[in-house]
Amino acid sequence: MTSKLQKILLGSCLALGLAAAAPASAEELRIGFIAPTTGIFAQTGKDMVDGFQMYLDEHGNKLGGVDVKFIVEDEQGKPDMAVTKAKKLILQDKVHMFIGGFLASTGYALAPVSNSEKTLYIASVPAADDLTQRQADKYPLFFRTTWTSSQPHHPLGQWACDQGHKKVITIAADYAFGYEVVGGFQKAFEDCGGKVIQKIWPPLGTKDFGPYIPTMKADADAIFSLMVGPMSLQFPKQLRGSGNKKPIIGGGTSYDEFVLPFMGDEVIGDVSALQYSAAIATPKNEAFVKAYRAKYGKVPSYYSEGNYTTAQIIDEAMKKAGGKWPGPEQFIKIMANLKIDAVRGPLSFEDRNPVQNIYIKKVEKKKMFGYDKDELWNTVIKTYPNVSQYWTYGKEKFLAQPVYSRDFPPCKFCE
Amino acid sequence: MNTQFWVVQAFNGISYGALLFLVGSGLSLIFGVMRIVNLSHGAYFLWGGYIALSVISATGSWALSLPVAALAVALIGIAMERLFLRSEGFAFLRNAVIAAALAVLVSLAISARWPQFIGGGWIQFIAVAAVAAVAAFFMLSRISILPIETDVLRQVLLTVGFAFLFQQGALDIWGGNNMDINPPGALTQSIVIGGVYFPAYRMFMIALALVIGVAIWLVMEKTRMGAAVRATVDDAQMARGVGIDTNRISMFIFALGAFLAALGGVAGGAFLGIYPGLDFEMLPLAFAVVIIGGMGSLGGAAIGALAVGLADNFGKALFPEVSYFTLYAPMVLILAVKPTGLFGRE
Amino acid sequence: MVSQQVKIALVTAALAVFVYIVPHSGSFVVLLATRAMAFAILAMSLDILLGYTGLASLGQAAYFGVGAYLTAVLATKFHFGMGWDFWLVVVLGILIGAALAALFGLFAIRAGDVYFLMITLALGQCVWGLAYRWNSLTGGDNGINMSGRPNFGLDLGNEVTFFYLVFAFFAASMGLMYVLVRSPFGRSLTGIRERELRMQILGYNTWLHKYIAFIIAGGFGGLAGVLWAHTNGHVSPETLVLTTSVDALLMVVLGGAGTLVGGAIGAAIVFGLREYLSTIVPWWQYVLGGVYVLTILYLPMGLMGIPSRLRQRFSQGKDEGSKELASKPS
């Protein structure tokens, strides 16, 4: 063989070899997932990871036809740890996007990281209103796939008014999430003609409501409660134990599937609102609940569904992008234009936040989906379709008012 | 604010105080006798609740869970005190426990880094762990623990380390869900007197605290063991001089403290719930009781618990703006004026 | 006994190696090292209290948090501190930490031992409660987001540049604290730790000495807080929570109380375990707890005590061992 031929052969082999090698490394979607897998929020972290993982398992670990490298990091429930892990994922693991965060403060802490590292951040749990409202322009690479705190509670306020309730007491955990939930409810309720006559704010983590229950005014028609975690378990028990039989209208986390399995019969009949209920009577949801329960031994919570659907959103967006990662800005554009048929119902987006069904649900004890035991389920009693983060107010008008806080909307009818 | 309001709030405050008495009295006694602030006390409370849940799901009996959980945690307390808070005696057992724990970690590390050695098999895992355990035990027997009885700070810090281990252990054993203990139906009713609702469970907590308080008081005042305890609290050196075995007293008191904390956990479980993080939430409350009531004094703990329960309750009801401070601000003021607590002696 | 000059040389050499290796070890290591160093300043300041003065405080996170919040509030509400005025914020951070310590010290110093532990815990919790409730100033539980790092010719947004800056503060703090503990004032603190009564008889105003030590620790805590705020770009009540104070205590005990460097070593280990090991295995909490328990049992003088422990073992030093322990506070 002549040396020239040898060189050509060698060159072609190299070229072929490089050509064969290159696509393999480009055809991989690296996703960083940040959740509290240890610490006091470990169970919610587990739900988050399990939800996303289940979608991956159902789709052969591919999204949009592309192999996924799914890296989970523990943020331990601390915002600064989340930032550290996010940077590790971006700088060391070179992820295309990072997803998750649990607390609202973690959402706020992670948003600037999307700017400084020019990487897409998908918040699949943090619900702080302003991240997609008054502060949305600061974080163009921030995308949310679940809810804003006030989103389900606008329709709930409307519903409460339609039920004929005129005077409502609110009792909610004393922190930003509580303020935004109550704010949403109060705005819609009072715009319809209702009156919030008292606002009580027990500190986050209160389990003994003894000091607060006796101060509740006697002339209220109903009580709006926003409870989180262990508070959700104790409040209904103690309210009923004090002899108070008024109907309870709950915020999203007061009766969701994360706490419902551990509640007793005293919560039957209590109403709440959220973009998901495990008792949504569609075939798609039934399949999801059954598969999740068989795999992980518990009914999925909205953390599970939120992350499952996030995986679905990424799947559809990657398909639209032709199986190639188009960069964060373009990917956001694609996601923003998606219309998804998700487990929770139809889903589209406005200003990087979902537009979706909001379900008003009531706790009932019954057999569901063919399970043989009577259990507590959040039966859907009314669906408000196409609810955005602005409700019926329109974007301009809504953003013109300040973010819901402890003092806004003001308690005009507090006696 | 009518009479009904004051009556209900007072009742609520007293019942909360009853729970705090269970948590705080143990801490107070442990400090009085051993001069240790047991920072794992919150963990004992938590484990009491969790073990009760396991007992209930295994046997269906809530009544059984109270003594079983309390005794189980008392045993854990004894083990911790004998093995780790004392350096003499039990060295064999201590080395064995540490060696076993180290071995498990080593095995886990090897299976994480070189999975081919262990594969998925339990047998290989245990084999590796056994080898590591023997090696570790051998090494540990060559090293001696430096005397720890006299170093209070070291003992306190040790209880912190254990608190973290207990917390992670609870998470791994029982998971991270927010759970609730369901007492028998009779206790979930409310008794109505004069139009005012008094939840039966709160009454149960008051009754439990009274019974326990009286029982301990009787033991302290009327038995020889109790006299020995009181002597040790007053002046440990003198007590030793008189021939009292302060070593055994320490063990007894530590076990009693753990017992009380766990009992509080079971009782509180139906009232506060059981969930990760509860341990470090109860700890400052137990501190508040001990600080206000004075350390080492049972009567002080009772008064301190009552004071904290009532103050917390009325503070939150009447001045909700400062809810986050109703506990800590009075603590600071009392400590600033009388550092040994309202009824403490030094 | 190893002479002071040799010790200083060893530490300086270690620092030099550290500052050379880290920037070449990947961006995540740089980030971890920066976080550990900022926190190590807090740990070392606690060592002055614990190791040298004999005061165990469970509330140092208060000064840390106050410095961090000051930085964040000035940066976001007053647009102050992002240029050359960064150095002014550093000074202010130190001052506010010291001022708060001056206030709290009035309540705390009277108490001894265990009561000191509890009152500092209560004070720390009060500051936490304030951070949580004073929504208009602190943003409540959402915290405050800072939009980038200062730029004064040196762009601190660059992780490596920022690492060098924090290292400079870290080394300077260590140096200053070293000078402090070897000064007559520092020596009298050690004397107070050993036998306070004797110091009082000798005519020292022990209350004042302890008070000043407390203020100095608060000042360094505030400095650490300023750096921490910039490292993370975010401050929330989580910064001041009780476990932060406990962590600082853990680090000092782990590394070795009374050695100054021990605090830094403890910080490195705890951060390494929490933030590095946690990316590898899920059971890192047991390792952390285990390391902690074993160190207290077998190495009461912390990891820095290993050399003397080894020496003691190999030279029949049972008597020396108990003598050294007799000098520990009991």
Side-chain angles (χ1 to χ4, degrees):
Chain A
M1 228 192 284
T2 62
S3 63
K4 197 168 167 206
L5 190 55
Q6 268 176 315
K7 279 191 196 131
I8 295 175
L9 272 174
L10 192 60
S12 343
C13 286
L14 276 171
L16 275 172
L18 282 170
S25 58
E27 288 264 39
E28 179 188 61
L29 189 63
R30 290 180 292 278
I31 298 182
F33 197 86
I34 303 172
T37 57
T38 59
I40 60 183
F41 302 117
Q43 190 59 48
T44 55
K46 185 167 195 301
D47 278 11
M48 287 165 70
V49 175
D50 288 348
F52 200 95
Q53 186 67 53
M54 193 163 109
Y55 191 90
L56 286 178
D57 292 342
E58 287 176 355
H59 293 79
N61 204 47
K62 283 187 202 289
L63 292 176
V66 179
D67 279 321
V68 167
K69 189 159 182 210
F70 184 55
I71 309 169
V72 177
E73 289 294 350
D74 182 11
E75 46 119 293
Q76 303 169 15
K78 293 183 204 290
D80 60 299
M81 182 70 69
V83 170
T84 308
K85 294 296 171 76
K87 289 192 176 164
K88 178 248 179 198
L89 286 165
I90 297 170
L91 299 171
Q92 191 166 294
D93 299 311
K94 311 255 185 282
V95 296
H96 295 101
M97 66 181 85
F98 61 102
I99 305 179
F102 174 66
L103 295 171
S105 50
T106 306
Y108 270 109
L110 285 174
V113 178
S114 69
N115 280 353
S116 63
E117 307 297 334
K118 312 245 181 309
T119 309
L120 170 62
Y121 169 39
I122 299 184
S124 58
V125 175
D129 276 16
D130 264 358
L131 284 170
T132 49
Q133 291 174 7
R134 292 159 201 90
Q135 307 226 25
D137 295 332
K138 280 201 214 167
Y139 310 113
L141 293 179
F142 176 94
F143 196 87
R144 181 148 45 195
T145 55
T146 43
W147 58 319
T148 61
S149 318
S150 55
Q151 190 170 6
H153 304 103
H154 291 128
L156 187 62
Q158 179 68 47
W159 179 87
C161 178
D162 292 342
Q163 297 303 112
H165 295 305
K166 299 259 183 306
K167 294 180 172 182
V168 164
I169 299 175
T170 69
I171 174 165
D174 190 359
Y175 74 132
F177 178 67
Y179 308 149
E180 292 177 5
V181 167
V182 169
F185 175 83
Q186 186 182 359
K187 178 106 178 74
F189 183 65
E190 289 187 340
D191 281 352
C192 161
K195 297 184 176 160
V196 168
I197 59 170
Q198 187 182 15
K199 282 172 147 180
I200 306 178
W201 304 103
L204 180 63
T206 300
K207 290 147 310 270
D208 179 11
F209 294 94
Y212 304 103
I213 294 178
T215 63
M216 288 185 175
K217 298 203 162 63
D219 54 335
D221 304 317
I223 298 175
F224 178 81
S225 82
L226 186 277
M227 298 291 153
V228 185
M231 303 170 77
S232 313
L233 289 178
Q234 304 308 327
F235 177 71
K237 276 200 312 193
Q238 292 179 15
L239 187 70
R240 299 305 180 212
S242 73
N244 191 318
K245 303 213 191 329
K246 306 225 168 75
I248 303 181
I249 305 173
T253 52
S254 301
Y255 296 97
D256 76 292
E257 280 73 18
F258 192 69
V259 287
L260 194 60
F262 305 99
M263 292 176 145
D265 291 352
E266 69 274 350
V267 302
I268 295 176
D270 290 349
V271 168
S272 61
L274 196 61
Q275 73 275 8
Y276 180 68
S277 160
I280 295 173
T282 61
K284 204 169 169 98
N285 184 50
E286 178 168 356
F288 173 67
V289 172
K290 282 201 164 123
Y292 190 91
R293 198 168 193 184
K295 190 162 186 177
Y296 297 112
K298 59 176 284 202
V299 174
S301 60
Y302 81 93
Y303 305 113
S304 321
E305 189 275 337
N307 285 281
Y308 183 86
T309 303
T310 302
Q312 182 181 2
I313 292 169
I314 298 174
D315 191 11
E316 311 251 336
M318 278 303 281
K319 283 204 189 98
K320 282 239 163 62
K324 263 175 123 59
W325 174 251
E329 291 91 354
Q330 187 58 25
F331 197 74
I332 289 184
K333 281 211 184 72
I334 297 176
M335 284 197 290
N337 287 317
L338 285 176
K339 293 212 184 319
I340 310 258
D341 176 23
V343 168
R344 67 177 95 138
L347 189 59
S348 60
F349 296 95
E350 181 185 2
D351 293 332
R352 295 178 268 130
N353 193 68
V355 175
Q356 58 200 343
N357 286 353
I358 294 296
Y359 301 100
I360 312 291
K361 40 201 173 99
K362 178 153 77 162
V363 180
E364 286 185 356
K365 190 163 193 170
K366 60 186 191 185
K367 300 184 177 41
M368 190 111 192
F369 296 148
Y371 291 119
D372 55 350
K373 275 208 299 191
D374 273 328
E375 296 171 298
L376 294 175
W377 292 90
N378 281 314
T379 308
V380 177
I381 55 176
K382 188 171 170 75
T383 305
Y384 286 90
N386 294 323
V387 176
S388 81
Q389 54 184 320
Y390 307 120
W391 186 224
T392 53
Y393 300 116
K395 179 175 173 179
E396 309 299 315
K397 198 161 148 246
F398 188 81
L399 292 183
Q401 73 183 25
V403 71
Y404 294 126
S405 67
R406 210 170 193 267
D407 310 306
F408 184 84
C411 194
K412 293 188 292 214
F413 307 105
C414 285
E415 291 134 22
Chain B
M1 308 275 165
N2 50 13
T3 354
Q4 197 179 62
F5 173 81
W6 293 105
V7 168
V8 172
Q9 292 288 23
F11 175 69
N12 287 338
I14 295 175
S15 59
Y16 189 50
L19 185 64
L20 293 177
F21 172 72
L22 288 172
V23 179
S25 54
L27 193 65
S28 186
L29 285 171
I30 291 177
F31 181 80
V33 168
M34 303 169 74
R35 291 279 175 274
I36 306 176
V37 181
N38 178 26
L39 289 162
S40 337
H41 211 69
Y44 291 152
F45 184 89
L46 185 71
W47 274 62
Y50 274 127
I51 293 178
L53 274 174
S54 294
V55 170
I56 294 177
S57 74
T59 67
S61 162
W62 171 84
L64 192 61
S65 70
L66 280 160
V68 170
L71 284 168
V73 175
L75 281 173
I76 296 177
I78 293 181
M80 189 167 128
E81 196 266 343
R82 289 285 98 178
L83 294 178
F84 295 100
L85 290 175
R86 309 225 149 262
S87 46
E88 287 136 42
F90 292 101
F92 181 87
L93 200 54
R94 173 178 55 238
N95 290 341
V97 168
I98 298 179
L102 279 176
V104 169
L105 283 181
V106 167
S107 253
L108 281 171
I110 293 183
S111 72
R113 185 75 181 74
W114 298 285
Q116 57 270 30
F117 280 134
I118 300 215
W122 274 109
I123 309 211
Q124 295 97 307
F125 186 88
I126 294 187
V128 173
V131 170
V134 170
F137 184 78
F138 184 66
M139 280 196 304
L140 286 169
S141 317
R142 314 292 310 281
I143 318 176
S144 59
I145 290 191
L146 291 146
I148 199 174
E149 284 91 335
T150 49
D151 196 336
V152 167
L153 186 60
R154 260 173 87 204
Q155 287 176 313
V156 171
L157 294 171
L158 199 63
T159 59
V160 176
F162 272 105
F164 283 126
L165 288 173
F166 282 133
Q167 187 183 61
Q168 185 63 26
L171 194 56
D172 286 337
I173 298 176
W174 288 285
N177 284 307
N178 296 303
M179 303 206 256
D180 207 7
I181 293 185
N182 289 315
L187 285 177
T188 57
Q189 308 303 324
S190 294
I191 306 180
V192 189
I193 304 179
V196 184
Y197 279 73
F198 294 98
Y201 197 76
R202 284 188 187 263
M203 294 183 133
F204 164 70
M205 292 200 303
I206 297 178
L208 183 65
L210 275 173
V211 166
I212 298 283
V214 168
I216 299 181
W217 181 82
L218 281 172
V219 168
M220 291 295 162
E221 293 293 316
K222 307 287 179 198
T223 69
R224 194 177 302 172
M225 171 76 104
V229 171
R230 277 183 292 128
T232 315
V233 170
D234 274 341
D235 193 333
Q237 264 185 316
M238 280 296 279
R240 271 194 289 275
V242 182
I244 293 178
D245 186 355
T246 52
N247 214 333
R248 257 198 340 137
I249 302 280
S250 292
M251 178 176 89
F252 169 68
I253 286 295
F254 204 84
L256 181 64
F259 180 89
L260 288 170
L263 203 61
V266 181
F271 180 62
L272 306 171
I274 320 267
Y275 53 92
L278 184 61
D279 48 353
F280 279 101
E281 283 180 27
M282 290 314 287
L283 202 55
L285 290 171
F287 276 152
V289 168
V290 171
I291 285 171
I292 293 178
M295 311 205 200
S297 153
L298 194 69
I303 298 185
L306 207 59
V308 173
L310 285 169
D312 198 56
N313 217 77
F314 278 108
K316 288 187 169 140
L318 298 172
F319 310 108
E321 292 302 310
V322 285
S323 290
Y324 283 108
F325 298 94
T326 37
L327 195 56
Y328 297 110
M331 251 171 91
V332 171
L333 289 170
I334 290 179
L335 278 177
V337 170
K338 190 159 186 288
T340 55
L342 272 181
F343 295 93
R345 22 18 206 298
E346 202 79 23
Chain C
M1 278 298 292
V2 182
S3 75
Q4 282 303 115
Q5 282 93 317
V6 175
K7 278 193 187 160
I8 297 179
L10 279 173
V11 171
T12 320
L15 286 175
V17 169
F18 175 76
V19 79
Y20 179 72
I21 290 190
V22 169
H24 295 93
S25 314
S27 2
F28 184 49
V29 177
V30 171
L31 188 59
L32 272 187
T34 314
R35 280 167 62 83
M37 282 193 298
F39 207 87
I41 298 180
L42 178 69
M44 293 194 296
S45 75
L46 178 57
D47 194 11
I48 294 185
L49 278 181
L50 176 64
Y52 289 93
T53 322
L55 292 170
S57 161
L58 267 182
Q60 292 308 99
Y63 317 108
F64 187 65
V66 156
Y69 267 109
L70 178 76
T71 313
V73 169
L74 285 177
T76 49
K77 286 210 165 46
F78 301 96
H79 303 287
F80 182 81
M82 299 308 260
W84 281 103
D85 39 12
F86 161 75
W87 297 97
L88 196 52
V89 175
V90 166
V91 172
L92 287 173
I94 297 175
L95 286 176
I96 202 174
L100 190 64
L103 174 64
F104 283 173
L106 291 172
F107 291 98
I109 302 293
R110 305 185 42 187
D113 249 6
V114 171
Y115 310 98
F116 185 75
L117 202 75
M118 293 213 242
I119 197 172
T120 49
L121 186 153
L123 286 167
Q125 290 296 94
C126 283
V127 180
W128 171 81
L130 205 64
Y132 220 93
R133 281 292 281 112
W134 200 346
N135 258 305
S136 49
L137 184 68
T138 64
D141 59 290
N142 274 340
I144 304 182
N145 257 6
M146 294 172 37
S147 49
R149 297 223 184 103
N151 190 335
F152 43 90
L154 281 173
D155 179 19
L156 294 182
N158 179 319
E159 299 286 354
V160 179
T161 317
F162 189 62
F163 164 77
Y164 284 126
L165 182 82
V166 174
F167 177 77
F169 274 110
F170 168 68
S173 303
M174 198 190 276
L176 273 173
M177 288 194 229
Y178 179 74
V179 167
L180 177 75
V181 298
R182 297 209 68 87
S183 71
F185 175 74
R187 300 240 186 243
S188 47
L189 287 180
T190 318
I192 292 175
R193 184 196 77 203
E194 312 251 324
R195 289 270 186 276
E196 182 165 356
L197 192 54
R198 180 170 61 194
M199 296 297 286
Q200 283 174 333
I201 292 175
L202 286 174
Y204 284 85
N205 184 342
T206 55
W207 185 92
L208 190 61
H209 277 76
K210 291 198 272 191
Y211 185 60
I212 294 180
F214 197 70
I215 294 179
I216 293 176
F220 277 108
L223 170 65
V226 172
L227 294 173
W228 188 254
H230 281 304
T231 309
N232 298 316
H234 178 89
V235 183
S236 70
E238 272 303 304
T239 315
L240 303 150
V241 83
L242 178 60
T243 32
T244 307
S245 296
V246 176
D247 267 352
L249 201 60
L250 286 179
M251 290 173 194
V252 173
V253 172
L254 202 56
T259 62
L260 218 53
V261 175
I265 294 180
I269 294 179
V270 173
F271 269 85
L273 285 174
R274 270 201 207 285
E275 311 205 351
Y276 196 78
L277 191 62
S278 61
T279 64
I280 305 179
V281 291
W283 36 268
W284 58 273
Q285 280 254 48
Y286 292 118
V287 178
L288 183 61
V291 166
Y292 189 55
V293 167
L294 290 176
T295 309
I296 295 184
L297 283 178
Y298 293 103
L299 297 168
M301 309 224 288
L303 292 169
M304 285 294 287
I306 292 183
S308 63
R309 189 82 157 99
L310 287 173
R311 241 178 288 128
Q312 172 203 327
R313 265 191 63 80
F314 287 123
S315 58
Q316 280 288 44
K318 275 226 175 90
D319 296 321
E320 284 169 32
S322 41
K323 249 194 270 160
E324 277 185 288
L325 274 151
S327 67
K328 279 267 131 205
S330 52

